[in-house]
Amino acid sequence: MKKIEIMGCGYIGLPTAVTFTLAGYTVCGFDINPKVVEQLNSGHIHIVEPGLQEAMTQAKETGRLHFTTTPEPADVFIICVQTPHRDTPEGKRVSDMRFVESAARSVGGVLRAGNLCVLESTSPPYSTRLVESIVSEVSGLAPEEFMTAHCPERIIPGRMLIELRENDRIVGATRPEAAQYAKEIYSPVVTKGTIRVTDDLTAEMCKLVENTFRDINIAYANELSKVCDRLGIDVFSLIELANCHPRVNVHTPGVGVGGHCIAVDPWFIHEKFEDITPLIYQARLVNDSKPAWVADRIERDVAPGSAVAVLGMSFKANIDDIRESPSVELAKILRERGYRVLACEPFVQGDVAGFENHTLDEALAGCDYAVITLAHDPFKAAKDKIAAKPYFDCVGLMR
């Protein structure tokens, strides 16, 4: 079996490294954070993901998995670093490719002829070709002397180990032989899903299209929640009834949209095609503005100066990931408006996003009002306690 090097050992890279090891490969996980590498080499994971610690222990016991802060030679390099967005001085929101570019330079320093470099990080069109050019420049090898492909990750927190094996994968490259080789590499990992081969631009767009579709659908649901609030009707019941139609599938509203995918990926399309993507742009504005609307809605019930418990600070139920979390944005807005915010995030240890993290009992005991931003399982189990306080339910938990 080939040696695989995973570039970046975060929310995507670590489960990927573990899964490739259990598929029979020798795997090296590279990360620039020495503390993360030390913890992983000791056999302990640094993120919350169901089943990952057990899988990590099993992978380490094979003797084929280790972690390092120094790039090593390998047969295949898989880049799994973050691709956030940033605001330009002109006010435009664009992709921040610094982490991908840094990983590509690290790969170029150890790449040999015949190796394969796969970009898994979700990226704008032409990013795979950018990686190829950087690797070529640093390694001194011509692009035809090694292979480059794009295979976007398509997994969600809470189901990563399952979806790495069972979801279809898209593999794209400018050269058919590179795409075919990448397919062969992923085949022992993808045990139930289908690996579909295409060109690099189509592969890059596929992941962006998937998440942009969801973002637009959620924007529609979030607008509906505002309309229903004015009408005085239950938006969740309305959507449930509408979805009885066989050709309708309206998503559910929330406090906004967060995470490293849906809240980010649409911008990658818009930045390249501003003049022809007004719908994508408006959907982003709708979802980004929802936390402020929720704050306005809370202000109708309770005045600034009151203590408000924000129940849920991660971006998704039952995980610890707070990246792009609209709940965090809501908490900040409430604090800026003079409320005393009692943050409650049971899946995060210690303070969260600059807020003291309270237990659910502490938050409810100390608040005048609660806002339910996530349907965490611990909140579902405590609906009676929550109902004892005045509250606003953003996610339909209390139905």
Side-chain angles (χ1 to χ4, degrees):
M1 296 291 282
K2 304 289 186 180
K3 178 180 177 181
I4 311 292
E5 185 159 349
I6 307 298
M7 313 300 291
C9 296
Y11 285 96
I12 302 300
L14 180 57
T16 299
V18 168
T19 303
F20 268 84
T21 303
L22 296 178
Y25 290 104
T26 296
V27 177
C28 168
F30 167 78
D31 200 279
I32 62 173
N33 189 327
K35 291 183 179 179
V36 167
V37 169
E38 180 181 2
Q39 181 172 340
L40 295 177
N41 276 326
S42 72
H44 301 288
I45 65 174
H46 64 298
I47 60 176
V48 175
E49 177 63 27
L52 182 58
Q53 181 58 65
E54 294 79 4
M56 171 75 156
T57 300
Q58 185 181 354
K60 290 286 288 182
E61 288 175 350
T62 68
R64 290 184 278 103
L65 174 63
H66 73 280
F67 301 89
T68 179
T69 56
T70 303
E72 299 179 1
D75 300 295
V76 178
F77 300 86
I78 301 178
I79 296 176
C80 296
V81 298
Q82 61 178 310
T83 48
H85 56 65
R86 61 181 176 84
D87 292 327
T88 68
E90 297 77 26
K92 294 182 180 181
R93 186 157 290 183
V94 298
S95 55
D96 185 347
M97 298 297 290
R98 289 175 299 166
F99 302 99
V100 169
E101 292 169 1
S102 176
R105 285 191 290 270
S106 295
V107 170
V110 291
L111 183 94
R112 298 168 297 193
N115 287 172
L116 169 67
C117 179
V118 179
L119 175 63
E120 275 207 12
S121 304
T122 308
S123 306
Y126 299 104
S127 294
T128 307
R129 300 181 192 187
L130 171 66
V131 167
E132 182 181 73
S133 67
I134 293 173
V135 171
S136 176
E137 179 182 357
V138 175
S139 68
L141 297 172
E144 58 269 19
E145 294 181 85
F146 62 95
M147 289 176 279
T148 312
H150 185 58
C151 184
E153 57 86 7
R154 305 170 90 200
I155 58 179
I156 60 171
R159 289 180 49 86
M160 289 184 175
L161 295 177
I162 296 170
E163 296 196 351
L164 278 167
R165 298 189 303 269
E166 298 185 3
N167 283 7
D168 287 2
R169 296 301 295 258
I170 310 298
V171 174
T174 56
R175 294 157 53 198
E177 62 269 27
Q180 187 59 41
Y181 182 40
K183 178 180 179 180
E184 293 172 5
I185 293 297
Y186 279 86
S187 290
V189 174
V190 183
T191 55
K192 289 190 177 180
T194 300
I195 301 175
R196 305 176 186 275
V197 176
T198 183
D199 62 88
D200 58 323
L201 293 176
T202 301
E204 290 166 340
M205 280 296 293
C206 187
K207 173 66 181 294
L208 303 182
V209 165
E210 293 161 9
N211 285 328
T212 300
F213 166 79
R214 296 173 67 195
D215 192 49
I216 292 171
N217 196 319
I218 295 169
Y220 175 55
N222 279 333
E223 281 200 347
L224 280 181
S225 71
K226 300 176 184 179
V227 173
C228 290
D229 183 69
R230 286 195 183 178
L231 288 171
I233 65 176
D234 183 349
V235 65
F236 301 99
S237 294
L238 172 64
I239 290 173
E240 189 175 88
L241 292 171
N243 285 347
C244 292
H245 192 290
R247 291 182 295 280
V248 174
N249 181 27
V250 182
H251 287 10
T252 53
V255 71
V257 173
H260 62 290
C261 290
I262 301 178
V264 177
D265 295 356
W267 291 115
F268 294 170
I269 299 177
H270 181 67
E271 73 169 88
K272 299 292 186 182
F273 309 102
E274 289 184 40
D275 60 324
I276 52 175
T277 55
L279 177 63
I280 292 173
Y281 178 70
Q282 289 300 324
R284 279 281 72 238
L285 295 185
V286 168
N287 288 331
D288 280 352
S289 67
K290 188 68 184 294
W293 181 88
V294 173
D296 292 342
R297 178 63 180 77
I298 291 169
E299 199 163 345
R300 283 162 43 188
D301 292 343
V302 60
S306 303
V308 175
V310 178
L311 304 185
M313 295 285 281
S314 60
F315 83 82
K316 180 177 177 288
N318 299 323
I319 65 169
D320 69 332
D321 193 345
I322 65 169
R323 288 178 293 175
E324 306 291 333
S325 170
S327 302
V328 170
E329 181 65 20
L330 170 63
K332 291 178 178 178
I333 293 171
L334 291 173
R335 183 168 60 186
E336 290 169 358
R337 295 187 182 185
Y339 291 93
R340 185 163 62 89
V341 175
L342 301 177
C344 174
E345 180 44 71
F347 290 90
V348 172
Q349 299 295 317
D351 293 351
V352 53
F355 292 88
E356 182 181 355
N357 195 6
H358 298 270
T359 67
L360 179 59
D361 287 342
E362 290 171 345
L364 292 176
C367 77
D368 303 303
Y369 187 92
V371 54
I372 306 160
T373 62
L374 290 167
H376 283 326
D377 286 344
F379 300 161
K380 292 179 181 178
K383 289 169 68 172
D384 290 344
K385 291 182 179 180
I386 297 171
K389 289 284 185 176
Y391 66 84
F392 180 64
D393 185 0
C394 298
V395 292
L397 177 78
M398 302 297 287
R399 296 179 65 227

